[in-house]
Amino acid sequence: MVTKAKDKPAKDKPVRGMSVKGNPEIWDDTWVKSTCGGCYGTCTIRAHRVNGVIIKIEGEPDNDFGSRGGLCAKGEAMIQALYDPNRFNYPMRRTNPKKGLFEDPQWKRISWDEALDEIAGHLKRIRAENPNKLLHGGTPSAGSGPDLPLGFGVFGAVFGTKNWYVGGAGLHCGSGSHMGAGLYHASWSIVPDFKYCNYVIQMGSNKGTGSGHSMGFNMRLSADARSRGMKNVVFDPICNFGGGKATEWVPILPGTDAIIALAMTNIILNELNVYDAEFIKMKTNGPYLIGPNERYIRDKETNKPLIWDPVDNKAKTFNDPTIKDFAILGEYTVNGVKAVPSFQLVKDHVKKYSPEYAEKESTVPAATVRRIAKEWADAAMIGATIEIEGEKLPLRPVASVMFRGGQGHTNSAMSYCAMCLLNAIVGAMDVPGGTLGWPAYVEGHPDTGRYKVIPYPCRDGMLTAGTFMEHKPWPVEESKVPDTVLMKELVPTASFSPHPVTSDFQKYWDNLGRPYEIEMAMIFGANMVRSTQNREIAEDFFKRIPFIVSFNILPNEFCEGFADIMLPDCHPLETYCLFSSHGPFFNYPIGMEGWDFPIRQPVVKPAYERRNKVEALWDLADRIGMREEMNNYYNVYFSSFGGEALISGDIASVRDVKQIDPSKITVLIKPEEKITYQEMMDRAFKFYFGEDKGLDYISKAGTIHWPKKAKEAYWRWYVDVRIPIYMEHIAELRDGIIENAKKPGMELEWEQFTPLISYFPAQVAREETKEFDLYSFSYRDILHNGTYTMEIPWLDEVSQLNPYTYNITMNAETAKKKGLKDGDLICLESSYGRKTTGTLKTMQGQHPKTIAISACSGGWAKGAPIAYGKGTNFNILLESDAKHACPVCWSQETATMVKVYKIDHRIEYDGVGGKKL
Amino acid sequence: MRWGMAIELKRCIGCNACVLACKAEHFVPPQMFWNRVLIGEKGKYPQVTKLIYSVRCNHCAEPKCVKVCPTGATQQREDGIVWVDDEKCVGCRYCMVACPYQMRQMYEEEDAQYFPGQELTEHEKIGKLLYPHTPGVVQKCVFCKERIDSGIAQGLTPGVDRDATPACVIVCPTKAIHFGDLDDPNSEINRVIKEKHAHAFHPEFDTQPSISYID
Amino acid sequence: MSDIKPYDFMVKYQQQKDWIDGRGNFIAFAFFLGGIAGGLYLAAAYFDNLLGIFIAFLLTGLMGASYMLHLTHPMRFWRMMSKPGTSWIARGFTFIMLFGLFTVITMILMQWAPNATAAITTFKVLAGIFAFAQSIYTGFAVSYVSAIKMWNSAIVPVLFVTCGVSGGLAILLAVMLGQNGTQIVALENIIRIVLIGFAVIVAVYLWNATYSSTSAKDSVIRLIGGSLAPLFWIGVFLFGIAIPVAISAATYWVHDASSGLLLTAVVSEIIGGLALRFAVLKAGVYTPLLPAE
Ligand SMILES: Nc1nc2c(c(=O)[nH]1)N[C@H]1C(S)=C(S)[C@@H](COP(=O)(O)OP(=O)(O)OC[C@H]3O[C@@H](n4cnc5c(=O)[nH]c(N)nc54)[C@H](O)[C@@H]3O)O[C@H]1N2
Ligand SMILES: Nc1nc2c(c(=O)[nH]1)N[C@H]1C(S)=C(S)[C@@H](COP(=O)(O)OP(=O)(O)OC[C@H]3O[C@@H](n4cnc5c(=O)[nH]c(N)nc54)[C@H](O)[C@@H]3O)O[C@H]1N2
Ligand code: SF4
Ligand code: SF4
Ligand code: SF4
Ligand code: SF4
Ligand code: SF4
Ligand SMILES: [Mo]
């Protein structure tokens, strides 16, 4: 690898593919293939190391796991993140006993042994008492995103705690999106099939243009699509990333996407009378008969849902082989009660969503809604087919997608499902040109058939993901009186919860009799006080935790304010990682893009005493006698991709979900073995892809690549599964939830627990007054990932060249009316008296009733001097309690009404002991 | 031979990777930019178009900068590349004043650091070895002439082979930038320029840029 | 409109800075000195005033010094003559050198070989040609910059020369006041004409600029009503035109002017000349690459 060429003149050996001046002495000139850690896209990269230093990162041109040779700026900037002199190099102990947002930790260097012994001591005691006293979690965002559940989460899962708190928490990624994508696509999220799609509707996401999953290949694919002439309508309050590249930008008021989607559905179903009847009959629960109690009418014997066969004129179970046709319209009498196919109910239900009503709520002109609905229905080409690799497949070149923005409100679940409904009625789901989930169907490597994931139907015929790492909420569990501080058990459709970082958490916990207290937190990455909703509420919670351990590479606001022990993790460029690319997650190529299993490996050795976090966790496991259990867990985990569909233990009993057959578990790691991380990777690769494809092979090859079959890319019609356009399970859950909420005393918006996808005004809209007249919201900038990258000087420089990144934006006309102008220092104040400040930049491309801040800026950590004071922290404005959470999926309300006025200084820095701003 | 670029605006998303790839390739010092991404808006609410232009020296066929340079430091190679000879520049800044695209910057702050007041990073240090910058002279995009030259020497084709193609071109995640020989009628770039009606940015400046844009 | 933010770079009208801010001040100063030195030489040569010629020579030396201060690599100054074929700076530098050379010869001859009239005249004319060249090239150096519409005008060289000549005449007036010269009245008459000419040229220049392009119009707005208004109205208009014209007029009508008043006019005009260079250089704005609001 390292080529010593000291004796040779450099002239004879130019540094290939790098600009060099003069004749520097070169003794190492090496390219290493790996994956990027800039965001959870984990693009494949090749890093150029010269004389032991990484000098350049390029995208890997030879596979589909990224932009095929390109990178985004964050990816290039990882060099500076790696070499940041502010990084943690040694384990550190807090010597300042006080904890709080602006406290100085007064770090003191300690040894790894001292750190691990102390942590292990706490863990041992807690595990014996009640493992739930450990809160664990971390960042889903930075380059280790996919590494969170597998690399880090496993420890907590084996330890036995259910308190799993993810960075960003309630305003994490997309509680509604994950719920909806899980239900409808057995995936974490969705994306248009850019290759064949002709018409994309985007609601509050910047897929391929600014943020979102799989940014790497989405940037490439969406650019191809634009250049090919794909139409792209973007509903967004701001015309920046998605809107800026759209063929049509439609300004919308935050929180009103559902009514647009429902009005369009109404026009398509009831005015244009267009729908993909075959899809509805075969692929949805549209034909399932619903009784007056909102529930499926079930066969008395088998308990299976019934449908109506109009040919035989009788009710049959949904998978009766004698079915000749499915009735999706009409009204029937079954078992003596009125029975209506759910599609008929949905069709009737959406009638109330007229475009005019939608206009009133969203400000989108009724005529625009009508026109787009018509264009979209036309573009869907219902009935069309396409031949791909010899397979004749339905062609539905339309897709509607949503992510964090559209569903970041108290109507989150409904908004996302309403958007999915649009795709469902035209059959544009996991077929060419339509909306795709991230790969849910993998037949495995051709040599081994391993690394296999196949979705399957549950007992009611509903789509069930083929791996336990796929997203909840399907299959849903029963509601329980909460026993975790997340309180998620109460509402099993929720994927992430804002609790316990809410202002009403303590009240509920009191009402539950305070089952236990969180005595320790173990956090990987994540900036729990800057990226979560409201730093003061977060402070109140984290201050009470007596012992906090944080694994990070860089100081952040959370570490400084609250961590007792800091463990210096490796940067992705200096360590191995298996889980960051162990999919098929939402970093996996979609459509006909090939399969890849790329490697993350060190380009340079970890400097100082930095250590790979997983190995550090294993050391802890050794110390508390948990290594055997972890080894077993990995065995189950890897085996599940050996072709055995399975779901993790505790929900396996629900709705006939497949469980792993213990006899089929391959023992990759013997329980008592203490192997290295590399050894585990080597075994996993060999198990999946063959003896010749171990770590050595993949280290050089960079990825295991094999072509995708059309059947895998567009699996929908190959698997006998249905999706719920009528959410019977929500009706089923409702009474239980209401009952179980009594004990904690939680009041949720019960009306939202309806099986019919509906529009409910978001909490933000209810708070609009004459005084608090502007909707404030945040969005991601392509230059930054969470709070992490704000510390990178190159990105800081280009951020200053960008008019919006560090500024608060507002419609130019609105600003004028308020007597504000570019460059004014302004204060945003919410009706809860929460305030944040920053510099104004007006723009034309913004809804006049809104004011916006680019995501997670406004840093105050002293250990991160580049990020200090840059931009504005939006989250300070947010209120967090049950009222500001979507009752169905528990997304936090991410918009708030504010008033805006000029101010003379940055008040949110008043308490900070550093530089006053 | 005349190297040129054609940039597809529909593809470009303003990610700034081109800027940072150039920074990495040439260890461009803090606050210095050999290329930039300009962001603007056109129109009035709600009919708004966001504008994103990745810009760098246009390697003009009629370069003002070359004309005004009194020392001959700024020169044009046969392949059209306009560059500055660090040894000859006196720092009169006439070229900076004369470039209508404002694509030149004077490198003055020799001690500038990316992490001010902290130790130089290993990366900064190796930059001083691999691509040292002379203070007090004017800098600009050199069309990655080092990559092109060493690439050609190795038998590679700029615009086709990555190692012979400018860093900002190969880094672009949307493949917005095409690079190649404008004098070769069969080159990919000429095909793109013709098919997609590429046009110069501000042709009224009358410098005949080698970079064109596609709407 | 004043200081642009980093993200406004070439998205808004952008004021040129390389030839005005920081070190750039020296180039404005050099242009001013070059103009005034050239003007002074021409005037002094016309009136056969050796002291005036000597001061012109000194001012040219100062110009050179100012130039050197502007360069980041002054030790390489000799390279500046490399490209006289295309570069006005190269040409200018050559003019300065030659002007210096011929002036020195002229002065030597005038001082020590006053009878070599033919030779004196020859070198005086040669020096005169380069004095003119030195004073006008600064205008060409600026007007050649097509990127800056305000500069890219045939009027600029004329303006710079006129301004240089009027400044030169003013200095000569001061010199003559000191020498109790007899030609003061004649000189004053010339000054009056040049001043009026200068005022007219400034007006025409500005007027013309408002029509030539949007960025030149932006420049004019900056000068007349924007951030540069104080510099323009006080520096160029008040000192460069109004005060000298008023004094000039007064001396014309009153026929009796105290040397104090005249010296005021002289100083005022010199300030005005300096202000003009600063004003023009500062008013240089680039046309944005993206449409400006
Ligand atoms: N205003 C606003 N707030 C938001 C959002 C928004 O859109 N607007 N989005 C929300 C969403 S969707 C999310 S997912 C969250 C994300 O929120 P977080 O998960 O808190 O993400 P970051 O703020 O980027 O913090 C990541 C941390 O991980 C560290 N890190 C980076 N790489 C590594 C590594 O390899 N190892 C270790 N140990 N640490 C590492 C970084 O130093 C940084 O401190 O933010 C949420 N907050
Ligand atoms: N560059 C970059 N990429 C990232 C990340 C990052 O931080 N930076 N983070 C990663 C993570 S963790 C995530 S979760 C994904 C998120 O990916 P996205 O979901 O694409 O994230 P955002 O950019 O926050 O998208 C929100 C958009 O919705 C708009 N919006 C806000 N409210 C509403 C609304 O009510 N209705 C509609 N229609 N629009 C609204 C905002 O203006 C913004 O344009 O990105 C991932 N990729
Ligand atoms: S999209 Fe994400 S993973 Fe890909 S290069 Fe950018 S930061 Fe890295
Ligand atoms: S790298 Fe490509 S997409 Fe990104 S800003 Fe540059 S040209 Fe645009
Ligand atoms: S863009 Fe400017 S610097 Fe580049 S060649 Fe043209 S005139 Fe010269
Ligand atoms: S600054 Fe240097 S390169 Fe530019 S014109 Fe002057 S000598 Fe030439
Ligand atoms: S061509 Fe090379 S030097 Fe020019 S901007 Fe691109 S990367 Fe920089
Ligand atoms: Mo996220």
Side-chain angles (χ1 to χ4, degrees), chain C residues 103-120:
Chain C
T103 314
V104 169
I105 299 174
T106 308
M107 288 190 299
I108 291 172
L109 291 175
M110 280 171 86
Q111 185 67 24
W112 287 288
N115 299 328
T117 43
I120 290 180

Side-chain angles (χ1 to χ4, degrees), chain A residues 77-97:
Chain A
M78 283 298 112
I79 303 176
Q80 283 190 328
L82 172 71
Y83 292 115
D84 186 336
N86 299 295
R87 282 188 59 186
F88 289 115
N89 301 327
Y90 308 98
M92 296 285 184
R93 176 198 299 289
R94 176 184 211 87
T95 60
N96 175 2

Side-chain angles (χ1 to χ4, degrees), chain A residues 16-21 24 26 50 53-56 58-59 61 67-73 76 79-80 83-86 208 219-220 223-224 226-227 240 244-245 249 251 782-783 793-795 797-798 801 803-804 811 843-846 848 866, chain B residues 8-17 19-21 23-27 30-31 33 36 39 41 43-46 48 50 52 86 114-116 118-119 121-123 126 129-132 146-147 154 156 162-163 167 170-175 196:
Chain A
R16 191 184 161 104
M18 185 68 191
S19 303
V20 166
K21 270 191 191 170
I26 308 292
V50 169
V53 183
I54 300 180
I55 56 162
K56 188 75 172 298
E58 290 183 7
S67 85
R68 279 199 153 271
L71 275 181
C72 79
E76 195 63 75
I79 303 176
Q80 283 190 328
Y83 292 115
D84 186 336
N86 299 295
M219 289 185 280
R220 160 171 61 92
D224 287 348
R226 283 194 299 277
S227 145
N240 199 349
K245 295 311 294 181
W249 168 58
I782 194 162
L783 298 175
W794 276 342
L795 294 174
E797 277 188 334
V798 288
L801 298 187
Y804 313 123
N811 177 281
M843 61 194 291
Q844 291 295 334
Q846 186 165 346
I866 306 292
Chain B
E8 285 188 66
L9 298 175
K10 262 197 196 143
R11 286 183 175 267
C12 172
I13 52 178
C15 74
N16 273 280
V19 177
L20 295 201
K23 284 231 163 198
E25 180 75 24
H26 306 100
F27 296 91
Q31 293 309 315
F33 297 95
R36 294 170 187 256
I39 307 281
E41 281 183 299
K44 285 250 175 283
Y45 179 87
V48 190
K50 187 185 178 190
I52 311 172
D86 285 359
Y114 278 108
F115 293 93
Q118 292 182 281
E119 63 207 272
T121 65
E122 276 187 73
H123 182 249
I126 198 168
L129 175 77
L130 297 179
Y131 208 90
E146 294 91 353
R147 291 177 73 94
Q154 291 165 67
L156 305 176
R162 292 173 64 86
D163 287 350
I170 61 167
V171 82
C172 176
T174 65
K175 313 257 179 286
K196 302 199 172 179

Side-chain angles (χ1 to χ4, degrees), chain A residues 266-286:
Chain A
N266 177 21
I267 292 160
I268 294 169
L269 293 183
N270 295 312
E271 289 185 18
L272 305 172
N273 233 323
V274 174
Y275 48 86
D276 187 338
E278 206 191 347
F279 188 88
I280 290 161
K281 286 176 185 174
M282 305 300 296
K283 295 283 139 198
T284 74
N285 65 356

Side-chain angles (χ1 to χ4, degrees), chain A residues 19, chain B residues 5 18-19 21-23 25-26 28 34-36 55-57 59 131 140-147 165-169 177 179:
Chain A
S19 303
Chain B
M5 280 181 189
C18 43
V19 177
C22 183
K23 284 231 163 198
E25 180 75 24
H26 306 100
V28 179
W34 290 11
N35 57 352
R36 294 170 187 256
V55 297
R56 59 191 60 51
C57 166
H59 298 273
Y131 208 90
K140 63 180 267 301
C141 156
V142 295
F143 247 24
C144 285
K145 65 181 169 65
E146 294 91 353
R147 291 177 73 94
T165 304
C168 60
V169 175
I177 315 180
F179 188 84

Side-chain angles (χ1 to χ4, degrees), chain A residues 47 75 108 122 186 203 253 271 323 332 339 389 433 448 544 561 583 608 611 636 645 707 714 716 801 826 851 872 890:
Chain A
K108 189 182 139 250
H122 287 274
M203 295 177 141
L253 271 188
E271 289 185 18
I323 294 174
Y332 309 91
E389 295 190 343
T448 57
R544 298 169 187 240
Y608 308 97
R611 287 191 65 192
V636 172
Y714 307 113
R716 182 69 66 167
L801 298 187
I826 53 170
I851 186 157
T872 297
W890 280 18

Side-chain angles (χ1 to χ4, degrees), chain A residues 22 49 142 162 199 315 470 539 549 588 592 664 859:
Chain A
R49 189 186 66 219
K162 288 197 272 175
Y199 200 120
E470 268 320 330
E539 174 183 38
V549 182
Y588 265 58
M592 289 306 288
K664 290 200 175 150

